[in-house]
Amino acid sequence: MSTKRDYYEVLGVPKGSSEDDLKKAFREAARKHHPDIDKTAGAEERFKEINEAYQVLSNPEKRKAYDQFGHDAFGAGTGAGAGNGGNPFAGGGPFSYTYSTNGEGIDLGDLFGQGGMGDIFESFFGGGYGRSRKGRDKHYQIGINFLAAAYGDEQDINFEGKKLKIKIPAGIYDGAQMKFTGEGEAGPAGTPAGDLLLTIRVVPDARFSRERDDLYTLKTISFTTAALGGEVEVPALSDRKEVGVENIKLKIPSGTQFGTDFRVKGRGLTHLHGRGRGDLFVRILVEIPKKLSRDEKRILEELQKQTH
């Protein structure tokens, strides 16, 4: 079991806090415990803990995972910003999770490297503190469709006169951020250029909703199919990218109730940092006829008598 403190406790906010409340609490805590201000023992560790907590809680996907699984969502001992091979909520790999203050993005993975303390201090309290170790980061976002996120894609983007080829990994989620080192603003006096932080926005597919790497869809069946059983078609991701979404057969047992969920293994999204895929969940809705023929009414009345 993790010995880390609860992230909400670290920031001093309740679990249901809004994004604005989180940001306000983070800034206040960061100012108070910045090692250049807080000279007490352990100040730097407290500052790291504050940043780690905000990195998770300010990211919708990470926050959802943390609320459900706590620190276990990020793997034992990895921390929120460490690489974790099979964990789509951990940082590292091709992704970098950032927060922004005064319009300037700060790479959390670099906060405690050379010059990191000066950069964050300057972003909180304005210029004039120390010397920036690199140019400012630039922020850009692109939209991709659901299938590009599901299967991965390659795209060319034109960014301020530069043409960049980007490789989007299969299973990427809305709001994920990719970093291109050195593609930001030039640094002062020969220091390195900043980075380009590219945010991915995924246009959802109306047929599915997504929960981590699982997909959810609804299927309406007739009253007779629910009662007698049968076979229906439901949309699912194909194993082949060129096919995309295909219809698959789903067996409906007799006596299926309204709201029953069926699980189709391996028909969800590819795990972003690992092998395998999530699952597809199909929720059954039963359509009750508004009008019945004379024969249908007679049959149902006879059935009702037999069940009472």
Side-chain angles (χ1 to χ4, degrees), residues 2-290:
S2 174
T3 58
K4 287 177 175 288
R5 278 208 300 158
D6 180 82
Y7 285 145
Y8 292 100
E9 180 186 338
V10 170
L11 295 182
V13 294
K15 191 172 183 179
S17 295
S18 67
E19 291 182 12
D20 288 341
D21 288 340
L22 285 172
K23 185 180 294 184
K24 181 180 178 181
F26 164 67
R27 289 181 172 178
E28 290 178 354
R31 287 190 182 102
K32 181 178 179 181
H33 295 291
H34 192 285
D36 290 328
I37 296 176
D38 185 354
K39 300 301 183 181
T40 61
E44 184 168 333
E45 290 304 315
R46 285 193 294 274
F47 190 63
K48 289 182 181 180
E49 185 180 45
I50 290 165
N51 279 291
E52 181 178 308
Y54 184 69
Q55 180 190 9
V56 170
L57 299 183
S58 64
N59 181 294
E61 292 283 346
K62 285 187 172 187
R63 184 176 182 179
K64 187 183 296 182
Y66 179 74
D67 287 346
Q68 186 172 1
F69 301 110
H71 293 293
D72 291 339
F74 307 103
T78 61
N84 186 16
N87 193 331
F89 301 103
F95 302 101
S96 174
Y97 302 96
T98 66
Y99 62 86
S100 179
T101 56
N102 295 339
E104 181 174 357
I106 301 172
D107 188 339
L108 290 171
D110 293 335
L111 270 178
F112 305 104
Q114 183 179 0
M117 291 298 181
D119 284 353
I120 191 169
F121 189 90
E122 184 174 13
S123 73
F124 279 129
F125 302 106
Y129 177 86
R131 180 180 178 183
S132 177
R133 62 187 174 85
K134 67 174 187 177
R136 286 177 175 264
D137 294 335
K138 291 183 178 180
H139 297 263
Y140 191 69
Q141 67 177 12
I142 62 169
I144 62 174
N145 62 36
F146 171 75
L147 292 180
Y151 295 102
D153 197 17
E154 287 190 0
Q155 292 192 13
D156 293 325
I157 63 170
N158 292 310
F159 177 73
E160 298 184 357
K162 297 180 181 180
K163 188 174 182 180
L164 297 175
K165 180 178 288 292
I166 63 171
K167 186 174 182 179
I168 299 169
I172 200 167
Y173 54 86
D174 180 64
Q177 199 169 73
M178 304 175 71
K179 181 173 75 172
F180 295 84
T181 303
E183 297 293 345
E185 291 185 8
T191 57
D195 304 323
L196 168 61
L197 302 174
L198 180 66
T199 301
I200 306 296
R201 310 306 312 191
V202 180
V203 179
D205 188 296
R207 292 166 289 187
F208 304 104
S209 59
R210 177 177 183 176
E211 183 71 24
R212 296 202 286 175
D213 295 330
D214 295 328
L215 293 177
Y216 293 78
T217 190
L218 300 173
K219 180 64 180 180
T220 301
I221 64 174
S222 67
F223 173 77
T224 53
T225 302
L228 302 176
E231 198 172 65
V232 297
E233 290 188 342
V234 296
L237 284 176
S238 172
D239 293 331
R240 295 181 295 162
K241 181 178 181 178
E242 62 272 18
V243 174
V245 177
E246 62 183 359
N247 286 328
I248 62 172
K249 300 290 186 180
L250 180 67
K251 187 176 180 180
I252 304 296
S254 61
T256 293
Q257 302 297 304
F258 184 99
T260 299
D261 291 332
F262 291 97
R263 178 184 182 184
V264 185
K265 291 184 178 182
R267 286 290 188 155
L269 291 155
T270 299
H271 296 317
L272 186 57
H273 292 305
R275 297 180 180 179
R277 291 170 56 175
D279 300 323
L280 170 68
F281 291 87
V282 183
R283 172 156 293 184
I284 298 299
L285 307 179
V286 180
E287 184 177 21
I288 307 298
K290 295 181 179 179

